[in-house]
C-alpha cells in the first residue's frame, strides 16, 4: 500500500491506501533495507520525528462491520480522502509553549536564571548525581455532567457537572488523601466540567494553591454535527452500527460542523491562541489522541522527569489517548480501555521513565500498567443506596445537597462562633440576671494589663488591620472632606472597552466575621463571603467585562473569590496565576488571635502602634510554629524568587541530617514590608506580562496587598495608607489609559460613598480621570459630523425648492 499526502490550508490530506504494484513493492523494500543499514551503523532518526511520521501516515481503512455502514451523506468526507493535522515537531513544541503566555508558577528573574545556568551545568559535570526519581501520574476523568446523564453527545460543548459529578470529584479527592498522593501540578482542559472537577478535588485535598495548566489539547473529542444530539435517538434514526462506529471506532468521524454552526468553536475567546486551521470541526478517536501527544511530550513528561507529581483531570477520550501513548496500546486494543468518572488511575515510573507494573492483586485493566485507587462502580452503588434512603427513610438528608455541607473550622473559630451565637440569641441574659441577683458584685472600669491608655469598645480607630470588616462610620466632629473632591468615577467612560486592571478584595471569611488576625492563615470563604464574590461577578457581567488573565495569592479565600467571579462571568477557562507575593500581610505571633486577646497580652497601647504604624512589625512567629510559612513544605517548593536563609538552612540541615536549602520566608511584616513585595510583583510581573500588552487583568487578593498596589498607582502618601479601607467583594476598576480608579453602577441609585466606607484616604483613591487624545478626537469628529449633517439638510432643502 502507498500513502500520498498533499498539504493544503495547514492540513495534510491523506489519500486512501491503495494496493501497490510489483515495482512499488521492490522500491519500498529497497528503502526499508537502506533504513535498516543506516540504523545498524549508529545513525537513527530522532524519536520525535519518528512519532511525527507515524502521526502523519495514519491509515483510513474502514473497520470490518460498523464502519462499512458509513455513507458520504452522514460522514461528511469523501470515500477516498481523510484529513489529519500536519505539524512538524518544532511547530508542535512552539505551539505548546505559546499556550503558556502567563507563567502559572513563580520563577526567579530571567537575568538570575541566565547567570546561574552555567553554574548549574558545572555543578552537574563536577558532581554528577543519580538520576532523579520521576513523579507519579494521576489520571482522573471529570465528574458527570448533565449531558452525560442524558446520553447526549457532548464533545466541545460546555455543560457543567451535575450534583452527582460533584460527589464523584469529592470522592476522587478522598481517594487521593487515603493513598497519600499529593499532586504538584494539575493539567486540565478548557471545558467547564473539567475545570470545576479540578476545583472540587483541590478543595477536598486542601491544595487550592496548586498551579493549574488549562489546555485545549485535553478537550474532549469533537463530535461535529452530532454534538447536542441524544445518542439513543440518533442511533434509532441513523442506525446503531453508525453511532457505535463514531463512538468506538478508531478512525471514523461524525459529519463536521460548518463555520457558522453554534458548535463551531472558531469564534470562542477561549481558543483565541489556537490557529483556526487547528480547531477541529469533527474528530475521530485517533485525531483526539493525536492532539494530546504534543502536550504529553513537551509538558507533562517534562514535569514528571523533574520529580513532580502530575494530575491530569480531563475527559474519557483524551485520557484514553494518554493511556495509549504511555502503554503503547495497539489500535485494536484501545477499544477495551475505559475511564470511569471520579476514580483516579495512577501510573508510577522508574528512573528510565518506564512504567512500573502494578503489584499482584492491584485494580488495573487490560493492556495497561496503571492502577485504579478503587474498584469502578462502587461509588455509583453507594450514591444509589443513599438516594433510596433519602427517598424512603424519614430523617435521612439528601446527599445531593452539596451547598449545605459544613465548612472546615478550627477549634478556636468554632468556639468563638458558638459564643457569638449565644450572645446574639440572648441565652446568657437570664443567667446573668439571676447571677447578679444572687451575688452583689460591682464592676468598675480600669486599665487593661497595667496600661492606662486602654481602648474602649466604641473608640474610633482608623488604623485597622485586615480582619476588621465592619468599618465604623467617620466621626462627624473629625476632619471632613468635601464629597466633590473624591466622588467615584461612576459611568463616565466605557470601562468594558478600555484596558483595565480590576481589583477585588476577597469575600468575608470566618476569621473576618470573628475579628481574628488572619494574615497567612488559610480559612475558606464564609457563606456571606461566597455571596460577596458572586455579587462581584454579577456586577462585572452586567457591565460586559471580559478578562484575559487572573492574578491571585496562594491563600484559599482569594483563590475561591476568583473562582466564583469567573463562574459568574462564564470564564472559568482563564489562566489563574497564583503568587505568594499577593498574600496578605504576615502578622507574626498575632496570627489567629483577636484584638481583645492581643490587647490583654501585649497592652492596648502596643496594639494601637501595630495597627497605626506603617513600618512597625508585630512580634515574629517562631521558626517551628504553624504560623511560619516555611514549614508548609507543599507550598515552599514553588518559591524560587526568595533569597536563601543561611541560619534556617543550617538549622534544618542539622535537624534533617542532610543538606536542605531553606529560603528566607517572612516571620512578621509591617505594612511597608507587605508593599515592598506586592508593588514589584505588579510592576515587574503583571505590567510587562499583561498590562503592557493591552490585556484586561483581574486581581483577587487581600486588603494590604491591594493597598500596596493602589499606593503605587494612585500616589497615596504613606502616612495615609492605614486610613484607606477596602470593602470585601467590591470591584475597583483602574483605567490604565486614564490613570484613575472607578466604581461600577450597581443600578440601585445609591451613592457608593454612602454605601461603602473607604476611610478618609478616599480623596487620594478617587481622583478625577485624565483625559486622553481620544476624547478630543471624539469631540472633533462629533463636530464634523454635525457640520456634515447640517450641510446635507441644506442641500436637500435646495433640491426641494
Amino acid at each position: 500500500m502507498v500513502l500520498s499526502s498533499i498539504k493544503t490550508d495547514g492540513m495534510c490530506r491523506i489519500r486512501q491506501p491503495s494496493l501497490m504494484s510489483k515495482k512499488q513493492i521492490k522500491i519500498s523494500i529497497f528503502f526499508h533495507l537502506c533504513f535498516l543499514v543506516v540504523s545498524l551503523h549508529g545513525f537513527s532518526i530522532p524519536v520525535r520525528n519518528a512519532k511525527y511520521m507515524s502521526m502523519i501516515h495514519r491509515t483510513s481503512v474502514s473497520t470490518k462491520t460498523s464502519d462499512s455502514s458509513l455513507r458520504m451523506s452522514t460522514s461528511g468526507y469523501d470515500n477516498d480522502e481523510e484529513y489529519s493535522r500536519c505539524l512538524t515537531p518544532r511547530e508542535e513544541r512552539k505551539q505548546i509553549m505559546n499556550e503558556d503566555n502567563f507563567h502559572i508558577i513563580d520563577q526567579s528573574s530571567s537575568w538570575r536564571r541566565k547567570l546561574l545556568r552555567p553554574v548549574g551545568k558545572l555543578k552537574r559535570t563536577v558532581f554528577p548525581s543519580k538520576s532523579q526519581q520521576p513523579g507519579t501520574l494521576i489520571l482522573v476523568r471529570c465528574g458527570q455532567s448533565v449531558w452525560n446523564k442524558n446520553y447526549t453527545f457532548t464533545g466541545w460543548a460546555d455543560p457543567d457537572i451535575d450534583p452527582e459529578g460533584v460527589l464523584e470529584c469529592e470522592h476522587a479527592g478522598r481517594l487521593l488523601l487515603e493513598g497519600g498522593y499529593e499532586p504538584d501540578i494539575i493539567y486540565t482542559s478548557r471545558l467547564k466540567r473539567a475545570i470545576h472537577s479540578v476545583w472540587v478535588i483541590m478543595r477536598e485535598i486542601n491544595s487550592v494553591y496548586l498551579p493549574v495548566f488549562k489546555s485545549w489539547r485535553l478537550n474532549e473529542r469533537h463530535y461535529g454535527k452530532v454534538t447536542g444530539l441524544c445518542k439513543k435517538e440518533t442511533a434509532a434514526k441513523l442506525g446503531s452500527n453508525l453511532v457505535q462506529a463514531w463512538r468506538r471506532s478508531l478512525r471514523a468521524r461524525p459529519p463536521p460542523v460548518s463555520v457558522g454552526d453554534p458548535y463551531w468553536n472558531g469564534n470562542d475567546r477561549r481558543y483565541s491562541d489556537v490557529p483556526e486551521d487547528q480547531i477541529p470541526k469533527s474528530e475521530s478517536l485517533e485525531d483526539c489522541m493525536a492532539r494530546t501527544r504534543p502536550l504529553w511530550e513537551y509538558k507533562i513528561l517534562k514535569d514528571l522527569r523533574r520529580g513532580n507529581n502530575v494530575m491530569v483531570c480531563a475527559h474519557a477520550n483524551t485520557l484514553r489517548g494518554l493511556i495509549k501513548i504511555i502503554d503503547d496500546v495497539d489500535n485494536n486494543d484501545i477499544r477495551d480501555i475505559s475511564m470511569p468518572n471520579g476514580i483516579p488511575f495512577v501510573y508510577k515510573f522508574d528512573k528510565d521513565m518506564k512504567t512500573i507494573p502494578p503489584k499482584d492483586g492491584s485494580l488495573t485493566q487490560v493492556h495497561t500498567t496503571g492502577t485504579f485507587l478503587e474498584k469502578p462502580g462502587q461509588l455509583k452503588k453507594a450514591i444509589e443506596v443513599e438516594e433510596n434512603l433519602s427517598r424512603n427513610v424519614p430523617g435521612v438528608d439528601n446527599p445531593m445537597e452539596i451547598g449545605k455541607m459544613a465548612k472546615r473550622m478550627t477549634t478556636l473559630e468554632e468556639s468563638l462562633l458558638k459564643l457569638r451565637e449565644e450572645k446574639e440569641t440572648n441565652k446568657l441574659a437570664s443567667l446573668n440576671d439571676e447571677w447578679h441577683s444572687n451575688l452583689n458584685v460591682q464592676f468598675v472600669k480600669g486599665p487593661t494589663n497595667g496600661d492606662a491608655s486602654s481602648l474602649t469598645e466604641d473608640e474610633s480607630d482608623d488604623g485597622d488591620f485586615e480582619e476588621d470588616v465592619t468599618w465604623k462610620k467617620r466621626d462627624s466632629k473629625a476632619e471632613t472632606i468635601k464629597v466633590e473632591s473624591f466622588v467615584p468615577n461612576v459611568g463616565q467612560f466605557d470601562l468594558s472597552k478600555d484596558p483595565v486592571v480590576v481589583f477585588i478584595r476577597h469575600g468575608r471569611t470566618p476569621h473576618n466575621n470573628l475579628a481574628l488576625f488572619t494574615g497567612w492563615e488559610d480559612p475558606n470563604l464564609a457563606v456571606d463571603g461566597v455571596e460577596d464574590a458572586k455579587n462581584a461577578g454579577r456586577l462585572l457581567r452586567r457591565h460586559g467585562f471580559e478578562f484575559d488573565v487572573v492574578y491571585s495569592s496562594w491563600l484559599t479565600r482569594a483563590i475561591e473569590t476568583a473562582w466564583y467571579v469567573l463562574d459568574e462571568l462564564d470564564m472559568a477557562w482563564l489562566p489563574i496565576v497564583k503568587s505568594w507575593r499577593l498574600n496578605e500581610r504576615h502578622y507574626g505571633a498575632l496570627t489567629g488571635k483577636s484584638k481583645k486577646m492581643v490587647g490583654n497580652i501585649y497592652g492596648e497601647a502596643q496594639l494601637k502602634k501595630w495597627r497605626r504604624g506603617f513600618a512597625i512589625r508585630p512580634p515574629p512567629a517562631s521558626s517551628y510554629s504553624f504560623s511560619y510559612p516555611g514549614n508548609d513544605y507543599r507550598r515552599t517548593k514553588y518559591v524560587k524568587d526568595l533569597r536563601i536563609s543561611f541560619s534556617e538552612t543550617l538549622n534544618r540541615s542539622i535537624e534533617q541530617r542532610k543538606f536542605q536549602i531553606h529560603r528566607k520566608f517572612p516571620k512578621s511584616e509591617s505594612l511597608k514590608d507587605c508593599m515592598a513585595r506586592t508593588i514589584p510583583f505588579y510592576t515587574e510581573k503583571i505590567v510587562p506580562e499583561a498590562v503592557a500588552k493591552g490585556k484586561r487583568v483581574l486581581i483577587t487578593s487581600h486588603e494590604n496587598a491591594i493597598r500596596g498596589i493602589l499606593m503605587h498607582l494612585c500616589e497615596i502618601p504613606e502616612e495615609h495608607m492605614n486610613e484607606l479601607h477596602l470593602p470585601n467583594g467590591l470591584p475597583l476598576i483602574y483605567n490604565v489609559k486614564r490613570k484613575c480608579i472607578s466604581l461600577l453602577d450597581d443600578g440601585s441609585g445609591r451613592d457608593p460613598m454612602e454605601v461603602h466606607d473607604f476611610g478618609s484616604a478616599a480623596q487620594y483613591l478617587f481622583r478625577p480621570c485624565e483625559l486622553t487624545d481620544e476624547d478630543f478626537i471624539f469631540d472633533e469628529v462629533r463636530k464634523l459630523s454635525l457640520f456634515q449633517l447640517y450641510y446635507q439638510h441644506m442641500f436637500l432643502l435646495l433640491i426641494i425648492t
Side-chain angles (χ1 to χ4, degrees):
M1 294 188 296
V2 293
L3 285 168
S4 59
S5 62
I6 305 172
K7 188 170 183 179
T8 57
D9 300 329
M11 311 289 282
C12 279
R13 178 177 294 182
I14 309 298
R15 297 194 183 279
Q16 185 80 331
S18 57
L19 294 176
M20 294 190 296
S21 62
K22 293 183 179 179
K23 182 178 180 180
Q24 290 172 331
I25 292 173
K26 291 178 180 178
I27 294 173
S28 176
I29 293 173
F30 172 76
F31 278 111
H32 279 82
L33 289 174
C34 291
F35 176 78
L36 182 61
V37 171
V38 170
S39 300
L40 290 174
H41 280 78
F43 302 99
S44 60
I45 297 176
V47 175
R48 285 173 184 167
N49 287 343
K51 291 178 180 176
Y52 161 63
M53 295 300 293
S54 65
M55 181 187 72
I56 293 180
H57 296 86
R58 58 170 74 114
T59 58
S60 54
V61 181
S62 300
T63 52
K64 294 180 181 178
T65 306
S66 58
D67 288 27
S68 62
S69 61
L70 292 175
R71 298 290 183 267
M72 287 171 53
S73 59
T74 56
S75 69
Y77 290 93
D78 298 334
N79 281 341
D80 61 341
E81 291 181 344
E82 282 203 1
Y83 295 88
S84 64
R85 286 157 189 79
C86 184
L87 289 178
T88 65
R90 187 173 182 179
E91 290 172 336
E92 284 180 344
R93 185 178 185 278
K94 184 178 179 181
Q95 191 179 91
I96 290 291
M97 295 307 171
N98 287 340
E99 286 186 37
D100 191 11
N101 292 325
F102 308 98
H103 299 293
I104 57 174
I105 300 178
D106 278 340
Q107 295 180 339
S108 57
S109 57
S110 57
W111 66 268
R112 185 179 296 177
R113 294 199 304 271
K114 292 177 181 178
L115 184 64
L116 295 178
R117 194 172 296 160
V119 178
K121 289 183 179 179
L122 180 62
K123 178 185 173 183
R124 288 190 293 270
T125 304
V126 178
F127 303 104
S129 59
K130 298 180 180 179
S131 58
Q132 190 175 19
Q133 179 64 36
T136 301
L137 177 65
I138 306 166
L139 305 181
V140 182
R141 183 182 174 185
C142 63
Q144 175 182 273
S145 70
V146 180
W147 286 26
N148 291 145
K149 199 167 187 176
N150 295 335
Y151 301 101
T152 304
F153 286 105
T154 310
W156 282 38
D158 203 21
D160 203 353
I161 55 175
D162 61 9
E164 187 171 332
V166 174
L167 288 179
E168 290 171 346
C169 296
E170 290 176 342
H171 188 70
R174 296 181 189 119
L175 289 175
L176 293 176
L177 288 174
E178 180 188 43
Y181 295 99
E182 296 180 351
D184 297 312
I185 186 170
I186 298 176
Y187 287 84
T188 188
S189 73
R190 295 186 185 176
L191 298 176
K192 189 188 304 179
R193 57 190 183 275
I195 297 170
H196 284 179
S197 298
V198 168
W199 292 357
V200 174
I201 294 173
M202 290 168 68
R203 187 179 288 160
E204 191 65 32
I205 64 177
N206 195 25
S207 299
V208 300
Y209 58 86
L210 289 175
V212 179
F213 185 82
K214 303 165 186 173
S215 174
W216 67 277
R217 292 182 177 276
L218 289 175
N219 279 18
E220 179 56 286
R221 169 190 175 187
H222 200 298
Y223 282 105
K225 277 192 175 181
V226 300
T227 303
L229 300 180
C230 178
K231 297 174 184 177
K232 294 182 179 180
E233 294 178 359
T234 307
K237 291 179 181 178
L238 301 179
S240 59
N241 289 338
L242 179 61
V243 174
Q244 279 300 106
W246 290 338
R247 294 186 62 195
R248 307 302 295 177
S249 174
L250 188 64
R251 298 184 180 91
R253 292 191 184 105
V257 295
S258 57
V259 173
D261 195 278
Y263 293 114
W264 182 66
N265 304 96
N267 294 326
D268 197 330
R269 280 188 66 237
R270 77 186 75 190
Y271 308 115
S272 59
D273 60 334
V274 183
E276 187 174 331
D277 60 356
Q278 293 293 303
I279 297 178
K281 297 179 181 178
S282 179
E283 286 182 310
S284 67
L285 182 58
E286 189 176 35
D287 295 330
C288 178
M289 295 175 180
R291 66 171 152 87
T292 61
R293 180 185 291 275
L295 185 68
W296 163 258
E297 291 181 358
Y298 303 118
K299 281 283 189 182
I300 300 175
L301 193 59
K302 189 176 179 181
D303 284 322
L304 289 170
R305 282 175 175 157
R306 288 175 176 171
N308 293 320
N309 296 328
V310 178
M311 184 176 82
V312 180
C313 183
H315 312 270
N317 288 312
T318 46
L319 294 179
R320 291 170 68 200
L322 289 176
I323 292 173
K324 185 180 189 302
I325 296 169
I326 295 168
D327 286 314
D328 195 20
V329 181
D330 186 77
N331 290 344
N332 296 323
D333 296 332
I334 190 63
R335 304 172 189 176
D336 301 327
I337 306 299
S338 62
M339 281 296 294
N341 299 90
I343 307 296
F345 193 63
V346 178
Y347 279 99
K348 294 187 177 181
F349 302 89
D350 59 20
K351 293 182 179 180
D352 297 324
M353 289 307 299
K354 295 180 180 179
T355 57
I356 299 175
K359 298 178 181 179
D360 294 338
S362 300
L363 297 171
T364 185
Q365 54 182 329
V366 292
H367 315 303
T368 67
T369 55
T371 306
F372 284 113
L373 296 188
E374 184 183 72
K375 185 177 180 180
Q378 289 186 355
L379 178 61
K380 292 280 186 184
K381 293 179 180 178
I383 292 175
E384 291 175 1
V385 170
E386 291 185 1
E387 286 180 341
N388 292 331
L389 286 174
S390 64
R391 284 194 300 264
N392 302 323
V393 180
V396 177
D397 295 331
N398 189 349
M400 310 304 282
E401 295 179 356
I402 309 299
K404 296 184 178 180
M405 294 182 66
K407 301 282 186 180
R408 292 188 178 95
M409 280 194 184
T410 63
T411 305
L412 177 62
E413 290 175 5
E414 191 173 359
S415 299
L416 292 178
L417 188 62
K418 287 182 179 179
L419 179 62
R420 172 173 288 189
E421 291 174 354
E422 289 171 351
K423 288 182 177 180
E424 289 177 354
T425 54
N426 294 322
K427 288 182 178 179
L428 298 177
S430 58
L431 296 175
N432 286 336
D433 292 340
E434 182 180 354
W435 187 65
H436 283 296
S437 62
N438 295 333
L439 296 175
N440 186 16
V441 180
Q442 295 182 351
F443 295 93
V444 294
K445 292 184 178 180
T448 304
N449 200 15
D451 190 352
S453 60
S454 61
L455 294 173
T456 63
E457 284 282 333
D458 299 327
E459 184 178 348
S460 179
D461 190 352
D462 288 333
D464 289 298
F465 275 152
E466 182 226 2
E467 73 282 352
D468 292 302
V469 181
T470 54
W471 304 111
K472 303 177 180 66
K473 290 293 180 182
R474 290 184 295 273
D475 189 358
S476 58
K477 297 180 182 179
E479 180 184 358
T480 58
I481 303 170
K482 291 183 179 180
V483 176
E484 291 79 12
S485 64
F486 59 89
V487 170
N489 306 295
V490 180
Q492 293 185 6
F493 304 101
D494 189 1
L495 297 172
S496 62
K497 303 296 170 104
D498 291 340
V500 295
V501 179
V502 177
F503 299 92
I504 301 179
R505 183 189 172 191
H506 63 80
R508 286 167 285 181
T509 67
H511 275 56
N512 296 141
N513 295 334
L514 296 171
L516 301 177
F517 290 103
T518 312
W520 284 37
E521 276 206 354
D522 204 18
N524 293 3
L525 291 179
V527 176
D528 45 5
V530 173
E531 284 303 311
D532 291 337
K534 289 183 176 180
N535 288 335
R538 293 173 189 135
L539 186 59
L540 292 169
R541 183 185 61 195
R542 178 181 176 184
H543 288 268
F545 272 79
E546 292 180 345
F547 297 99
D548 299 299
V549 61
V550 181
Y551 291 88
S552 188
S553 73
W554 273 0
L555 302 177
T556 302
R557 55 192 184 275
I559 297 171
E560 286 185 344
T561 299
W563 289 353
Y564 286 113
V565 171
L566 293 180
D567 223 17
E568 292 295 330
L569 295 172
D570 197 20
M571 296 181 189
W573 49 271
L574 283 177
I576 302 179
V577 182
K578 306 164 187 175
S579 174
W580 70 274
R581 291 188 176 273
L582 289 177
N583 279 15
E584 180 53 89
R585 169 187 176 185
H586 197 296
Y587 290 115
L590 307 185
T591 303
K593 295 180 173 62
S594 68
K595 184 174 67 176
K596 186 175 291 186
M597 294 178 190
V598 175
N600 289 331
I601 297 171
Y602 299 97
E604 298 290 351
Q606 185 61 48
L607 172 62
K608 189 183 293 186
K609 290 180 182 179
W610 289 331
R611 297 175 71 193
R612 292 181 175 177
F614 179 73
I616 302 176
R617 296 173 182 167
S622 168
S623 298
Y624 297 98
S625 70
F626 290 111
S627 301
Y628 178 55
N631 292 328
D632 190 350
Y633 71 94
R634 297 183 305 168
R635 305 190 196 208
T636 54
K637 67 176 74 173
Y638 299 106
V639 178
K640 306 295 183 184
D641 53 350
L642 266 179
R643 71 178 183 85
I644 295 173
S645 171
F646 293 102
S647 60
E648 291 292 338
T649 298
L650 178 61
N651 292 337
R652 292 172 188 270
S653 298
I654 295 173
E655 180 195 12
Q656 298 292 331
R657 297 184 179 180
K658 64 179 181 179
F659 182 70
Q660 189 173 25
I661 294 178
H662 193 83
R663 298 187 181 272
K664 193 173 181 62
F665 291 95
K667 297 180 180 180
S668 178
E669 288 181 311
S670 64
L671 191 56
K672 181 179 180 181
D673 296 329
C674 179
M675 295 176 181
R677 57 175 164 84
T678 57
I679 295 176
F681 182 77
Y682 179 81
T683 57
E684 298 172 11
K685 168 82 172 177
I686 299 178
V687 170
E689 193 174 77
V691 177
K693 297 178 181 179
K695 304 294 184 181
R696 299 172 65 82
V697 179
L698 172 64
I699 298 177
T700 61
S701 187
H702 312 266
E703 183 175 41
N704 287 313
I706 296 176
R707 272 179 176 176
I709 301 176
L710 293 178
M711 174 185 173
H712 166 73
L713 295 176
C714 303
E715 300 178 355
I716 303 174
E718 292 181 0
E719 59 270 19
H720 294 289
M721 279 307 302
N722 279 318
E723 301 168 8
L724 178 63
H725 304 157
L726 301 179
N728 296 87
L730 180 68
L732 301 174
I733 291 85
Y734 176 73
N735 194 312
V736 177
K737 289 183 179 179
R738 306 179 188 279
K739 299 180 181 179
C740 62
I741 296 289
S742 304
L743 296 179
L744 298 177
D745 183 9
D746 60 0
S748 64
R750 298 176 297 175
D751 183 2
M753 302 309 296
E754 292 295 327
V755 178
H756 308 287
D757 184 7
F758 294 92
S760 58
Q763 58 177 325
Y764 302 103
L765 184 64
F766 297 110
R767 290 177 174 174
C769 294
E770 296 181 5
L771 296 177
T772 63
D773 294 337
E774 296 177 1
D775 301 310
F776 299 102
I777 293 173
F778 174 75
D779 290 338
E780 294 295 330
V781 172
R782 184 170 59 182
K783 289 178 183 178
L784 288 174
S785 62
L786 289 174
F787 279 119
Q788 290 173 357
L789 187 63
Y790 172 75
Y791 284 119
Q792 286 176 1
H793 280 290
M794 293 298 294
F795 182 72
L796 288 173
L797 285 173
L798 287 173
I799 293 176
I800 292 171
T801 53

